[in-house]
Amino acid sequence: MKVGRGKVSSQIGTPNSTRACLSASVCRMEPPMAIFKDIDIDVLALVNDTVGTMMTCGYDDQRCEVGLIIGNVLTYSQTCGLKQKSHMEQTVAYPIPTGTGTNACYMEEMRHIDLVEGDEGRMCINTEWGAFGDDGALDDLRTEFDRELDLGSLNPGKQLFEKMISSLYLGELVRLILLKMTKEGLLFNGKVSTALLTKGKIEMKHVSAMEKYKEGLSNTKEILTELKLFPSEEDCVAVQHVCAVVSSRSAKLCAAALAAILTRLRENKQLLRMRTTVGIDGGLYKTHPKFAGRLHRAVGRLVPACEVRFLRSRGGSGRGAAVVAAVARRLAAQRRRLHTALAALLLPPAILRELRDKMRAELEHGLKRETQAQATVKMLPTFVRGTPDGTEKGKFLALDLGGTNFRVLLVKIKSGRRRSVQMYNKIFAIPLEIMQGTGEELFDHIVQCLADFLEYMGIKGARLPLGFTFSFPCRQASIDKGTLVGWTKGFKATDCEGEDVVDMLREAIRRRNEFDLDIVAVVNDTVGTMMTCGYEDPNCEIGLIAGTGTNVCYMEDMKNIEIVEGNEGKMCINTEWGAFGDNGCIDYIRTKYDREVDEGSLNPGKQRYEKMTSGMYLGEIVRQILIDLTKQGLLFRGHISESLRKKGIFETKFLSQIERDRLALPQVRHVLRQLGLDSTCEDSIIVKEVCAAVSTRAARLCGAGLAAVVEKKRENRGVERLQITVGADGTLYKLHPHFSRILQETVKELAPQCDVTFMLSEDGSGKGAALITAVAKRLHNVGQK
Ligand code: ADP
Ligand code: MG
C-alpha cells in the first residue's frame, strides 16, 4: 500500500502541539447542516472520526500520531453538542458520520502535501483507506466471497479494502462461506436454512461471540441453532474455524496497511527505529476477543523497526471532536491575535503607491533651491559626472568606511583590450570606542590602518591617488570635498559633523608624517556601486544599497539640480533616502515596534525609512514584536527570556536563516535555541511569520522608493518606456532569501512603464571608488592639457 496522497481532513494540531501544525487557518466552512439554518455557526473543525480518535488519544499520549478506526464507533448524533448563543458565532465540532468501516489518519509533513500551501509543520491526513483496492490493486487477494459480497452491496466496486476488513462485512463474509460449504454438503448435513440465505443474518457480534475462548463453542451452537441450522459438534468447530480465518485475515490486512503508514512516518522522520502511538477505536478492535492481539502481533512482524503502542480511544470520536474543537479554537484565537499584531506591517498596494508618490515629492524637494535646505531626502550632488568609458587605467588606493568592515584596497585598472580590474584588500576592525570616540581618534585609526596596508603591500613610497568611500551623507562642493551632514548607522564620533572629511583625513596623514597620498575623490558607496556596474553595463544609472543602511544614487540631469551651476550633462545624486520620513510624512505606517527601535537607537527621530528597511534594524524590529507577542502570551509560553531582552541579539542574518524556504522547523528552533530561546514548533512557526512580515515590509518599502526613482528617470528622458539598470549591493539584498525578489516585484508593480534590470555589484565600494578616482584623474588630466 502506498501512503502519501490523501484527503486533507483538518488543519489542526494535536492537543499538545509541540509537533503540531499550526497552519490552522482553521477553515470557515459553510456548515453542511442546512437544518440549523437560523444559527450562525462557525465550523471550526470538520472532524473525521479517525482524527477525533487520534486527538483523543493524543490528549493522553503525546506520541500519538496515527488514528485508526476498525469497525463501528459511537453514533454521532449522541456526541455532537450544539449550544446556541444568540448573535454570537458558534463554535462546534462537527463529526461527519462516515459509516462503519475502517479508516486511518496520521500526521504527514506539510512539505509532502501538495494540496495545501505551506511547508511548515505537519497536518493530519485522513487517508480514507477503505477505498484501497478500488483500482484493482487487491484483485489478487479477493476471493469469490469478497466478490459476491461486493456485488450484493450498496456500492459495488467501491471501498473494496473496507469490505475485506470492517465489522459491517465480516459477518456477511462468514455467512457466504458457510452457505457455500453447506451447499457442498460440508456442513449441517447439506441443509440450508432460510436464515442462512438471508443477507445480514450473521453479524460481527456473532462472530465475536463464536470466537470467545471459553464460551465460544456453546455460543456457536446457540447462534447456529437460532439460524435453524441444527449443528453437530463438528459443525460448530468448523464454523468457529471459518470465523477465525475471516477475522484473522481482517486483522492482518489492517496490520499491513498500518505498517505502510508507520514506515512512512519513520522515513519522514529519518529514523532507524521509531516509537509511536496509534490511537485506535472501533467495535471490531474493541469487542472482538482476538482481533487486537492478532493485529498487534502482525504489526510487530511487519515493521520490526517500529515500537508501537496501541492506545484505545476513551470516549470515542465525540470526545475527540471536542478536543479537536478546543485545540482548533485555541489556535484560531492565537492566530487572530498574531494577525492583529502583524496587520500594521502589511502594506497594501494603495499605501505603497502613496509612499512612492511621497518619495517622489521628497526627491523634488531636495533638488529645488528653495526647498532644499529643509528637505529630509537631501539629494546631495556628488560631482561624479560620468560613468567609466574603459580608458581608465593605473593603480589606485581606496578606503571603504561606513560599512560593517573598514577596508583598505589597492586597485589596478587596465584599459584597452586587456581591460580588467585587480584588487587587493585588507579588512580592519573599528572598535566601538573609536566609532563613538573623537573624530581625531577615528581618523588617526584610519591612517594607522592605511600605513599597515602600505607596509604590507610594500608601496609606502609611492604617492598613489586615493578614492575615499565614505558612506555617510556628505554635502560636496567638488569631487574631493565632502562635509559630513550627520552620522548614521552605528557611528557617532565627535567633532566630525559639519567638517570636511577629506580635510580630516589629510590632516591625520600629516600628523602621522610617514607617507603622502593624493586624495582625489570622496565617494558614497551607492555611487561606487553604480560606477562598478556602469563599468560593465553603460545603462546602469542607479546605485542601490541594502546593507547595514539603505541608500540610492542616480544620474540626474544637471538642469534639474538647482544647487549646482550649469545645465549641461548629468551628475550623480546621492539621495540619502534613508532619512525619508524624518519630517513625519511616513509616521502613519510606522508601528509601535518601529518607534521602540527608533527610541533605542543612536539617532532617535532620524533615518526613519532606513530603520524600517535595513540590516541594522530588521532584526531589532523582530525582537520588539517577539517581546510584544510573548507579553500577550502568544509565544514562548508567555515567558520573556533574559536573552530576548538583550538589544541587538536578534541579528538580521537570522531572518535570512529562518526564512529560508525549505528550512525545516527543527532548524528554526535550532537558530532560536542558539539565541537562548526555547521554542516549541508553534513558536517557531510564529517567529518565522514575524520575520517574513518584517522583511517583506522592508522589501516592499524599498521597492516603493525605487519605483519613484525609476519613474523620475523615465520622465527625465521623456520616454514612454524606460530600460534601465540598477546596480545593487549590500548583504541584506544579496543574502536574504526573499528581499531582492520582493523588492523587484514591487518596482515592477509600482513603475509598470519601466523595465528595470538589477545587476549585482561586485565590491562596489572598493572597485567603484577606484573607478571614480580614475575617471576624475582622467578628466583632471584632460582639463590640465
Ligand atoms: P554595509 O552595508 O555595512 O557596507 P553589508 O552590506 O555587508 O555592509 O551589510 C551588513 C548588514 O547586513 C548588517 O547590518 C547585517 O545585519 C546584515 N546581514 C548580515 N548577514 C546577513 C544575512 N545573511 N542576511 C541578511 N542580512 C544580513
Ligand atoms: Mg557596504
Side-chain angles (χ1 to χ4, degrees), residues 381-628:
T382 63
F383 293 84
V384 168
R385 294 165 191 266
T387 42
D389 65 2
T391 65
E392 297 76 13
K393 62 176 185 216
K395 277 187 199 172
F396 304 88
L397 281 172
L399 286 180
D400 176 12
L401 179 75
T404 317
N405 297 309
F406 167 59
R407 296 181 311 156
V408 186
L409 303 96
L410 175 66
V411 185
K412 291 183 187 169
I413 306 176
K414 286 192 186 138
S415 62
R417 275 198 298 131
R418 309 244 298 285
R419 220 180 90 151
S420 68
V421 180
Q422 270 185 315
M423 303 205 288
Y424 309 88
N425 79 77
K426 210 166 168 189
I427 293 174
F428 298 90
I430 299 206
L432 196 69
E433 63 269 23
I434 290 199
M435 266 162 79
Q436 299 175 10
T438 71
E440 243 184 54
E441 283 165 352
L442 174 64
F443 280 88
D444 281 345
H445 179 76
I446 291 171
V447 172
Q448 165 77 54
C449 298
L450 245 174
D452 286 356
F453 182 74
L454 296 176
E455 186 91 40
Y456 174 75
M457 299 296 297
I459 47 170
K460 221 167 188 177
R463 188 175 182 271
L464 293 176
L466 178 141
F468 184 12
T469 300
F470 184 76
S471 309
F472 301 97
C474 274
R475 207 173 289 287
Q476 291 187 254
S478 65
I479 196 153
D480 63 349
K481 282 191 177 29
T483 306
L484 175 62
V485 177
W487 288 118
T488 56
K489 302 176 268 186
F491 281 73
K492 213 179 180 171
T494 57
D495 314 318
C496 295
E497 296 180 351
E499 299 294 321
D500 181 350
V501 293
V502 176
D503 280 348
M504 293 186 78
L505 180 61
R506 281 203 184 107
E507 270 162 38
I509 293 175
R510 207 170 300 138
R511 273 200 296 279
R512 192 170 178 99
N513 199 20
E514 244 181 67
F515 53 86
D516 198 13
L517 294 170
D518 175 17
I519 305 174
V520 176
V522 54
V523 178
N524 187 270
D525 54 353
T526 53
V527 188
T529 298
M530 182 188 77
M531 292 295 263
T532 308
C533 293
Y535 193 64
E536 314 291 334
D537 175 358
N539 210 17
C540 178
E541 293 204 344
I542 299 178
L544 166 74
I545 299 278
T548 305
T550 181
N551 196 11
V552 152
C553 73
Y554 72 102
M555 295 305 289
E556 177 59 278
D557 294 349
M558 280 292 286
K559 62 177 191 300
N560 294 334
I561 310 174
E562 293 189 356
I563 52 166
V564 180
E565 285 296 312
N567 282 332
E568 293 309 309
K570 297 183 195 176
M571 182 182 281
C572 181
I573 291 287
N574 166 16
T575 65
E576 286 297 337
W577 79 2
F580 178 45
D582 288 6
N583 56 3
C585 76
I586 59 170
D587 278 359
Y588 70 112
I589 59 158
R590 289 170 81 226
T591 62
K592 62 177 176 185
Y593 312 117
D594 296 305
R595 282 189 289 275
E596 264 156 284
V597 169
D598 180 43
E599 278 155 26
S601 71
L602 281 176
N603 49 352
K606 300 262 169 65
Q607 302 289 103
R608 295 187 198 179
Y609 183 61
E610 176 162 278
K611 284 172 185 163
M612 299 168 84
T613 51
S614 74
M616 187 157 182
Y617 308 99
L618 295 192
E620 193 53 18
I621 301 174
V622 168
R623 190 180 70 92
Q624 294 294 345
I625 299 175
L626 297 187
I627 289 178
D628 188 42

Side-chain angles (χ1 to χ4, degrees), residues 402-404 525 545-549 615-616 652-653 656 730-732 735-736:
T404 317
D525 54 353
I545 299 278
T548 305
M616 187 157 182
T652 299
K653 71 171 181 210
S656 290
T731 305
L732 177 61
L735 292 191
H736 188 279

